[in-house]
Amino acid sequence: MGNPFCKQAWRGDLTMALRKASDFFSGICFFLTGVGAVLLSKDYPFGTLRSLGPGFFPLVLGSLLAVIGTILTIRSFYGEIVSMAIPRIRVAAMILGGSLLFGLLIRPAGLVVSIVVMVLAGAAASKELSVATAILTALILAAGSAVIFVYALGLPLPIVGALYSGR
């Protein structure tokens, strides 16, 4: 019980404790990402409001992200103490592994097989999801992705990869 990150920042008259560790860490990540975007966009021309330059969007978006991160970080010191859940490595590995498998399989196996493998790997991270639901979801997403990205948008993605076409 209790939050291991709830420590008193100052001793004495002014007492401040970290109340929401997840908001604190999210705020820091948002702030650092926003500052990074602003710093990376400083070499691009900003343009004008009438003719926006390539530096406008990253500068504005990075600034907003940094402001949101600051607000989240400050809010993490107020309110009720909320314990932070311990990250589950297996769940994160299954989800990231599914994305990695998609990237590795897209050319040799094709779009449909890659999406099915990615969805099934991500679904394996959940204990509540049934196998039938995962397979149905994978097939619907694979078919929908093929229709949208290959046929409707005309992207040059292989529906069936080189493993199945004999090349």
Side-chain angles (χ1 to χ4, degrees), residues 4 29 37 42 44-45 58 67 73 80 88 91 114 118 138 145 166-167:
C29 287
K42 68 179 177 147
Y44 295 111
V67 167
T73 303
E80 292 183 23
R88 294 180 289 190
V91 172
S114 299
M118 177 183 66
S145 296
R167 287 187 235 162

Side-chain angles (χ1 to χ4, degrees), residues 4 7 24-25 33 63 65-67 69 80 82 100 111 115 118 125-126 128 145 152 154 162 165:
K7 304 289 183 195
F24 178 78
F25 292 118
T33 303
S63 300
L65 202 56
V67 167
E80 292 183 23
V82 179
L100 182 66
L111 181 68
I115 289 177
M118 177 183 66
S126 172
E128 292 87 24
S145 296
S165 63

Side-chain angles (χ1 to χ4, degrees), residues 127-152:
K127 294 180 181 175
E128 292 87 24
L129 193 62
S130 70
V131 174
T133 304
I135 292 172
L136 182 63
T137 302
L139 293 175
I140 290 172
L141 286 174
S145 296
V147 168
I148 291 170
F149 294 114
V150 177
Y151 294 115

Side-chain angles (χ1 to χ4, degrees), residues 4-18:
F5 297 104
C6 288
K7 304 289 183 195
Q8 288 186 349
W10 293 286
R11 304 247 188 250
D13 292 340
L14 182 61
T15 302
M16 190 173 212
L18 182 58

Side-chain angles (χ1 to χ4, degrees), residues 150-164:
V150 177
Y151 294 115
L153 295 175
L155 295 179
L157 295 171
I159 292 177
V160 177
L163 287 177
Y164 304 108

Side-chain angles (χ1 to χ4, degrees), residues 55-75:
F56 178 82
F57 185 72
L59 180 77
V60 170
L61 192 63
S63 300
L64 288 174
L65 202 56
V67 167
I68 291 170
T70 303
I71 292 169
L72 265 176
T73 303
I74 292 170
R75 285 188 48 191

Side-chain angles (χ1 to χ4, degrees), residues 98 101-102 105-107 109-119:
L101 285 171
F102 175 82
L105 290 174
I106 187 74
R107 289 191 191 260
L111 181 68
V112 172
V113 173
S114 299
I115 289 177
V116 168
V117 169
M118 177 183 66
V119 171

